[in-house]
mmCIF file of all heavy atoms in Angstrom:
data_model
loop_
_atom_site.group_PDB
_atom_site.id
_atom_site.type_symbol
_atom_site.label_atom_id
_atom_site.label_comp_id
_atom_site.label_asym_id
_atom_site.label_seq_id
_atom_site.Cartn_x
_atom_site.Cartn_y
_atom_site.Cartn_z
ATOM 1 N N TRP A 177 -8.898 -2.587 1.306
ATOM 2 C CA TRP A 177 -9.047 -1.185 0.895
ATOM 3 C C TRP A 177 -8.637 -0.185 1.965
ATOM 4 O O TRP A 177 -8.400 0.993 1.659
ATOM 5 C CB TRP A 177 -10.479 -0.920 0.455
ATOM 6 C CG TRP A 177 -11.509 -1.037 1.546
ATOM 7 C CD1 TRP A 177 -12.064 -2.176 2.034
ATOM 8 C CD2 TRP A 177 -12.106 0.032 2.286
ATOM 9 N NE1 TRP A 177 -12.976 -1.901 3.020
ATOM 10 C CE2 TRP A 177 -13.017 -0.545 3.202
ATOM 11 C CE3 TRP A 177 -11.963 1.429 2.259
ATOM 12 C CZ2 TRP A 177 -13.773 0.220 4.093
ATOM 13 C CZ3 TRP A 177 -12.720 2.188 3.147
ATOM 14 C CH2 TRP A 177 -13.613 1.580 4.045
ATOM 15 N N GLN A 178 -8.489 -0.626 3.217
ATOM 16 C CA GLN A 178 -8.089 0.278 4.294
ATOM 17 C C GLN A 178 -6.648 0.059 4.744
ATOM 18 O O GLN A 178 -6.225 0.631 5.747
ATOM 19 C CB GLN A 178 -9.015 0.104 5.504
ATOM 20 C CG GLN A 178 -10.458 0.508 5.261
ATOM 21 C CD GLN A 178 -11.332 0.253 6.469
ATOM 22 O OE1 GLN A 178 -11.378 -0.844 7.017
ATOM 23 N NE2 GLN A 178 -12.030 1.280 6.913
ATOM 24 N N GLN A 179 -5.879 -0.732 4.022
ATOM 25 C CA GLN A 179 -4.574 -1.172 4.523
ATOM 26 C C GLN A 179 -3.371 -0.477 3.896
ATOM 27 O O GLN A 179 -2.239 -0.814 4.222
ATOM 28 C CB GLN A 179 -4.439 -2.689 4.337
ATOM 29 C CG GLN A 179 -5.379 -3.491 5.229
ATOM 30 C CD GLN A 179 -5.232 -4.986 5.005
ATOM 31 O OE1 GLN A 179 -5.201 -5.453 3.875
ATOM 32 N NE2 GLN A 179 -5.128 -5.738 6.100
ATOM 33 N N ARG A 180 -3.584 0.467 3.025
ATOM 34 C CA ARG A 180 -2.440 1.080 2.333
ATOM 35 C C ARG A 180 -1.403 1.630 3.308
ATOM 36 O O ARG A 180 -0.203 1.341 3.190
ATOM 37 C CB ARG A 180 -2.913 2.197 1.400
ATOM 38 C CG ARG A 180 -1.756 2.946 0.716
ATOM 39 C CD ARG A 180 -2.262 4.050 -0.202
ATOM 40 N NE ARG A 180 -3.078 5.023 0.501
ATOM 41 C CZ ARG A 180 -2.600 6.053 1.215
ATOM 42 N NH1 ARG A 180 -1.287 6.224 1.319
ATOM 43 N NH2 ARG A 180 -3.409 6.905 1.807
ATOM 44 N N GLU A 181 -1.842 2.410 4.274
ATOM 45 C CA GLU A 181 -0.882 3.073 5.163
ATOM 46 C C GLU A 181 -0.124 2.074 6.025
ATOM 47 O O GLU A 181 1.100 2.178 6.181
ATOM 48 C CB GLU A 181 -1.607 4.102 6.034
ATOM 49 C CG GLU A 181 -2.116 5.304 5.254
ATOM 50 C CD GLU A 181 -2.722 6.361 6.165
ATOM 51 O OE1 GLU A 181 -2.697 6.177 7.400
ATOM 52 O OE2 GLU A 181 -3.212 7.375 5.642
ATOM 53 N N VAL A 182 -0.819 1.084 6.576
ATOM 54 C CA VAL A 182 -0.132 0.151 7.487
ATOM 55 C C VAL A 182 0.811 -0.776 6.720
ATOM 56 O O VAL A 182 1.912 -1.081 7.194
ATOM 57 C CB VAL A 182 -1.135 -0.669 8.331
ATOM 58 C CG1 VAL A 182 -1.826 0.210 9.340
ATOM 59 C CG2 VAL A 182 -2.143 -1.400 7.457
ATOM 60 N N VAL A 183 0.403 -1.211 5.533
ATOM 61 C CA VAL A 183 1.281 -2.086 4.752
ATOM 62 C C VAL A 183 2.478 -1.295 4.222
ATOM 63 O O VAL A 183 3.612 -1.791 4.231
ATOM 64 C CB VAL A 183 0.505 -2.766 3.608
ATOM 65 C CG1 VAL A 183 1.456 -3.536 2.689
ATOM 66 C CG2 VAL A 183 -0.548 -3.711 4.176
ATOM 67 N N THR A 184 2.249 -0.069 3.787
ATOM 68 C CA THR A 184 3.342 0.780 3.333
ATOM 69 C C THR A 184 4.354 1.004 4.451
ATOM 70 O O THR A 184 5.578 0.890 4.234
ATOM 71 C CB THR A 184 2.797 2.137 2.842
ATOM 72 O OG1 THR A 184 1.984 1.918 1.685
ATOM 73 C CG2 THR A 184 3.933 3.087 2.487
ATOM 74 N N ALA A 185 3.872 1.285 5.650
ATOM 75 C CA ALA A 185 4.761 1.502 6.795
ATOM 76 C C ALA A 185 5.534 0.238 7.143
ATOM 77 O O ALA A 185 6.731 0.289 7.486
ATOM 78 C CB ALA A 185 3.956 1.977 7.995
ATOM 79 N N LEU A 186 4.874 -0.898 7.059
ATOM 80 C CA LEU A 186 5.511 -2.177 7.368
ATOM 81 C C LEU A 186 6.650 -2.465 6.388
ATOM 82 O O LEU A 186 7.747 -2.891 6.788
ATOM 83 C CB LEU A 186 4.464 -3.283 7.316
ATOM 84 C CG LEU A 186 4.891 -4.703 7.673
ATOM 85 C CD1 LEU A 186 5.455 -4.768 9.077
ATOM 86 C CD2 LEU A 186 3.693 -5.642 7.531
ATOM 87 N N LEU A 187 6.404 -2.227 5.111
ATOM 88 C CA LEU A 187 7.443 -2.439 4.108
ATOM 89 C C LEU A 187 8.610 -1.471 4.300
ATOM 90 O O LEU A 187 9.780 -1.869 4.231
ATOM 91 C CB LEU A 187 6.858 -2.293 2.702
ATOM 92 C CG LEU A 187 5.849 -3.368 2.268
ATOM 93 C CD1 LEU A 187 5.250 -3.007 0.909
ATOM 94 C CD2 LEU A 187 6.486 -4.742 2.219
ATOM 95 N N ALA A 188 8.291 -0.222 4.547
ATOM 96 C CA ALA A 188 9.347 0.771 4.750
ATOM 97 C C ALA A 188 10.215 0.421 5.954
ATOM 98 O O ALA A 188 11.447 0.559 5.912
ATOM 99 C CB ALA A 188 8.733 2.160 4.919
ATOM 100 N N ALA A 189 9.599 -0.061 7.008
ATOM 101 C CA ALA A 189 10.337 -0.427 8.220
ATOM 102 C C ALA A 189 11.272 -1.606 7.979
ATOM 103 O O ALA A 189 12.243 -1.790 8.728
ATOM 104 C CB ALA A 189 9.357 -0.756 9.342
ATOM 105 N N ASN A 190 10.995 -2.385 6.947
ATOM 106 C CA ASN A 190 11.841 -3.532 6.639
ATOM 107 C C ASN A 190 12.780 -3.286 5.455
ATOM 108 O O ASN A 190 13.342 -4.232 4.897
ATOM 109 C CB ASN A 190 10.976 -4.752 6.366
ATOM 110 C CG ASN A 190 10.445 -5.384 7.642
ATOM 111 O OD1 ASN A 190 11.120 -6.183 8.275
ATOM 112 N ND2 ASN A 190 9.229 -4.991 8.032
ATOM 113 N N GLY A 191 12.923 -2.023 5.066
ATOM 114 C CA GLY A 191 13.941 -1.665 4.100
ATOM 115 C C GLY A 191 13.533 -1.703 2.647
ATOM 116 O O GLY A 191 14.370 -1.531 1.757
ATOM 117 N N TRP A 192 12.248 -1.908 2.365
ATOM 118 C CA TRP A 192 11.783 -1.871 0.981
ATOM 119 C C TRP A 192 11.743 -0.414 0.501
ATOM 120 O O TRP A 192 11.520 0.513 1.294
ATOM 121 C CB TRP A 192 10.396 -2.493 0.864
ATOM 122 C CG TRP A 192 10.355 -3.948 1.206
ATOM 123 C CD1 TRP A 192 10.214 -4.502 2.447
ATOM 124 C CD2 TRP A 192 10.452 -5.047 0.295
ATOM 125 N NE1 TRP A 192 10.218 -5.872 2.376
ATOM 126 C CE2 TRP A 192 10.366 -6.243 1.065
ATOM 127 C CE3 TRP A 192 10.607 -5.146 -1.079
ATOM 128 C CZ2 TRP A 192 10.429 -7.508 0.484
ATOM 129 C CZ3 TRP A 192 10.661 -6.405 -1.662
ATOM 130 C CH2 TRP A 192 10.577 -7.571 -0.880
ATOM 131 N N THR A 193 11.929 -0.212 -0.787
ATOM 132 C CA THR A 193 11.969 1.148 -1.333
ATOM 133 C C THR A 193 10.964 1.303 -2.475
ATOM 134 O O THR A 193 10.329 0.338 -2.904
ATOM 135 C CB THR A 193 13.377 1.487 -1.859
ATOM 136 O OG1 THR A 193 13.703 0.600 -2.946
ATOM 137 C CG2 THR A 193 14.413 1.335 -0.756
ATOM 138 N N ASP A 194 10.839 2.511 -2.976
ATOM 139 C CA ASP A 194 9.964 2.833 -4.120
ATOM 140 C C ASP A 194 8.550 2.307 -3.895
ATOM 141 O O ASP A 194 7.935 1.721 -4.798
ATOM 142 C CB ASP A 194 10.527 2.247 -5.422
ATOM 143 C CG ASP A 194 11.905 2.790 -5.759
ATOM 144 O OD1 ASP A 194 12.188 3.941 -5.385
ATOM 145 O OD2 ASP A 194 12.690 2.062 -6.392
ATOM 146 N N ILE A 195 8.013 2.521 -2.718
ATOM 147 C CA ILE A 195 6.706 1.973 -2.360
ATOM 148 C C ILE A 195 5.602 2.868 -2.915
ATOM 149 O O ILE A 195 5.561 4.070 -2.656
ATOM 150 C CB ILE A 195 6.573 1.860 -0.831
ATOM 151 C CG1 ILE A 195 7.719 1.027 -0.265
ATOM 152 C CG2 ILE A 195 5.231 1.227 -0.453
ATOM 153 C CD1 ILE A 195 7.827 1.063 1.253
ATOM 154 N N VAL A 196 4.705 2.264 -3.699
ATOM 155 C CA VAL A 196 3.583 2.986 -4.274
ATOM 156 C C VAL A 196 2.338 2.109 -4.165
ATOM 157 O O VAL A 196 2.421 0.917 -3.894
ATOM 158 C CB VAL A 196 3.825 3.363 -5.757
ATOM 159 C CG1 VAL A 196 4.976 4.339 -5.884
ATOM 160 C CG2 VAL A 196 4.081 2.110 -6.595
ATOM 161 N N CYS A 197 1.175 2.728 -4.389
ATOM 162 C CA CYS A 197 -0.086 1.994 -4.307
ATOM 163 C C CYS A 197 -0.922 2.270 -5.549
ATOM 164 O O CYS A 197 -0.963 3.405 -6.030
ATOM 165 C CB CYS A 197 -0.861 2.404 -3.049
ATOM 166 S SG CYS A 197 -2.395 1.480 -2.810
ATOM 167 N N ARG A 198 -1.578 1.221 -6.026
ATOM 168 C CA ARG A 198 -2.474 1.356 -7.187
ATOM 169 C C ARG A 198 -3.900 1.035 -6.761
ATOM 170 O O ARG A 198 -4.133 0.125 -5.958
ATOM 171 C CB ARG A 198 -2.025 0.416 -8.309
ATOM 172 C CG ARG A 198 -2.914 0.481 -9.542
ATOM 173 C CD ARG A 198 -2.261 -0.185 -10.726
ATOM 174 N NE ARG A 198 -3.199 -0.326 -11.837
ATOM 175 C CZ ARG A 198 -2.872 -0.782 -13.029
ATOM 176 N NH1 ARG A 198 -1.617 -1.126 -13.277
ATOM 177 N NH2 ARG A 198 -3.768 -0.898 -13.983
ATOM 178 N N LYS A 199 -4.843 1.756 -7.323
ATOM 179 C CA LYS A 199 -6.254 1.563 -6.990
ATOM 180 C C LYS A 199 -6.886 0.513 -7.914
ATOM 181 O O LYS A 199 -6.405 0.260 -9.022
ATOM 182 C CB LYS A 199 -7.017 2.882 -7.080
ATOM 183 C CG LYS A 199 -6.565 3.918 -6.055
ATOM 184 C CD LYS A 199 -7.404 5.178 -6.130
ATOM 185 C CE LYS A 199 -6.923 6.223 -5.147
ATOM 186 N NZ LYS A 199 -7.056 5.780 -3.735
ATOM 187 N N ASP A 200 -8.008 -0.066 -7.455
ATOM 188 C CA ASP A 200 -8.734 -1.034 -8.267
ATOM 189 C C ASP A 200 -9.780 -0.328 -9.129
ATOM 190 O O ASP A 200 -9.859 0.898 -9.166
ATOM 191 C CB ASP A 200 -9.356 -2.135 -7.386
ATOM 192 C CG ASP A 200 -10.363 -1.584 -6.371
ATOM 193 O OD1 ASP A 200 -10.931 -0.495 -6.606
ATOM 194 O OD2 ASP A 200 -10.593 -2.247 -5.342
ATOM 195 N N PHE A 201 -10.615 -1.111 -9.798
ATOM 196 C CA PHE A 201 -11.612 -0.529 -10.701
ATOM 197 C C PHE A 201 -12.657 0.294 -9.959
ATOM 198 O O PHE A 201 -13.324 1.139 -10.550
ATOM 199 C CB PHE A 201 -12.305 -1.642 -11.492
ATOM 200 C CG PHE A 201 -11.362 -2.448 -12.352
ATOM 201 C CD1 PHE A 201 -11.210 -3.803 -12.154
ATOM 202 C CD2 PHE A 201 -10.618 -1.830 -13.342
ATOM 203 C CE1 PHE A 201 -10.346 -4.547 -12.945
ATOM 204 C CE2 PHE A 201 -9.741 -2.568 -14.141
ATOM 205 C CZ PHE A 201 -9.605 -3.927 -13.942
ATOM 206 N N GLY A 202 -12.818 0.036 -8.657
ATOM 207 C CA GLY A 202 -13.786 0.782 -7.867
ATOM 208 C C GLY A 202 -13.202 2.003 -7.184
ATOM 209 O O GLY A 202 -13.886 2.687 -6.420
ATOM 210 N N GLY A 203 -11.925 2.291 -7.453
ATOM 211 C CA GLY A 203 -11.278 3.458 -6.862
ATOM 212 C C GLY A 203 -10.718 3.220 -5.474
ATOM 213 O O GLY A 203 -10.316 4.175 -4.801
ATOM 214 N N ASN A 204 -10.671 1.972 -5.027
ATOM 215 C CA ASN A 204 -10.122 1.650 -3.706
ATOM 216 C C ASN A 204 -8.657 1.256 -3.820
ATOM 217 O O ASN A 204 -8.234 0.644 -4.809
ATOM 218 C CB ASN A 204 -10.899 0.490 -3.076
ATOM 219 C CG ASN A 204 -12.341 0.830 -2.814
ATOM 220 O OD1 ASN A 204 -12.649 1.876 -2.242
ATOM 221 N ND2 ASN A 204 -13.249 -0.038 -3.235
#
């Protein structure tokens, strides 16, 4: 639940695109 920013940055640094995040049933 605390990893969105670091995982998003990691993917972006490796050339992945259209990066988005979805929340779970608890809003995390």
Side-chain angles (χ1 to χ4, degrees):
W177 66 280
Q178 295 177 307
Q179 292 179 313
R180 176 180 58 82
E181 291 185 3
V182 290
V183 173
T184 295
L186 183 59
L187 293 174
N190 282 276
W192 296 86
T193 63
D194 300 330
I195 304 169
V196 295
C197 183
R198 179 166 170 175
K199 295 183 182 297
D200 61 24
F201 299 119
N204 296 311

